[in-house]
Amino acid sequence: MSEPGSTNTVDQLLGHTKGPAEPVTDRDLTRARSSAYIVHGNFHELAQICDDISTTGTIIVEKGAEKTDVENEVYRRVHNYVSPLYSYNEQIRSILNKRLKQHIRKGYFLPARDNKAAPDYVRRGTFLWGLRNDFQHGDYWCLRVRYEGTQNGTDCYQLYFQKRDFEATPKGDLDSAGDYLVHASDEVQQYPLPYIGSFHRNLFSEFENAFEEWCDKNRA
């Protein structure tokens, strides 16, 4: 779908540089900005429990904290990030469908395994979409919080992704999970917190700006 010559991620997603066919309204932008604000806020909350979410992703907690409490809190914060991220993409898709003379299917944001030309934002986002679906169908089984020792008087944990327990579809097996895992290596996906950190600080923020630029091509 990518169109050569355009650096705008929305242009690349759509496969053309024509911009909106119908004027983008202030209400459209308010919806998109409000959704993005929630994503940013939940990312900040998730990042707060890590020493550096974009590099090690080590979870830092009070020494002696109950492991079950740590697990539940990590799952809660991850869930609270990936769910509004999905909602944000749906808001953007809704706006695109209203302002373009083409139908933007969900597949634009969930590229097939052989679609190497799709923007990194949607290719890397497929794993996070898959986590969101797994939370609905698999009860967080694909994630494990492991104790990593004590450092500077605090307990350290790491969040791991376990591919064998990934159940992103009602059927629950990897074959039916589609293309959620094909756009990044197993090694990278093994550590969801640095994955989220890199995705949010680079690709999400870039896409948010790209959408604003795209809207400016035809403002009401």
Side-chain angles (χ1 to χ4, degrees), residues 31-47:
R31 288 176 62 202
R33 289 167 179 167
S34 295
S35 292
Y37 180 85
I38 294 171
V39 177
H40 284 301
N42 286 337
F43 173 75
H44 176 71
E45 186 181 44
L46 179 60

Side-chain angles (χ1 to χ4, degrees), residues 40-58:
H40 284 301
N42 286 337
F43 173 75
H44 176 71
E45 186 181 44
L46 179 60
Q48 278 186 321
I49 63 173
C50 301
D51 62 344
D52 186 342
I53 191 171
S54 296
T55 54
T56 66
T58 301

Side-chain angles (χ1 to χ4, degrees), residues 184-219:
S185 68
D186 290 353
E187 182 180 4
V188 171
Q189 291 170 340
Q190 184 182 4
Y191 303 97
L193 293 178
Y195 191 105
I196 290 172
S198 176
F199 174 87
H200 186 86
R201 288 175 171 165
N202 296 299
L203 298 177
F204 180 82
S205 295
E206 189 277 332
F207 184 84
E208 182 185 12
N209 293 332
F211 180 72
E212 294 266 350
E213 292 174 3
W214 185 85
C215 291
D216 285 341
K217 295 177 182 177
N218 193 351
R219 285 290 304 279

Side-chain angles (χ1 to χ4, degrees), residues 30 100 141 173 184:
T30 298
L100 284 168
W141 290 338
D173 58 76

Side-chain angles (χ1 to χ4, degrees), residues 43 79 97 114 116 149 163 167 200 210:
F43 173 75
H79 174 274
N97 273 318
D114 59 349
K116 306 302 182 184
K163 185 176 180 178
E167 298 184 357
H200 186 86

Side-chain angles (χ1 to χ4, degrees), residues 164-180:
R164 67 180 182 274
D165 295 320
F166 183 60
E167 298 184 357
T169 66
K171 188 175 177 182
D173 58 76
L174 281 173
D175 288 338
S176 67
D179 300 320
Y180 295 115

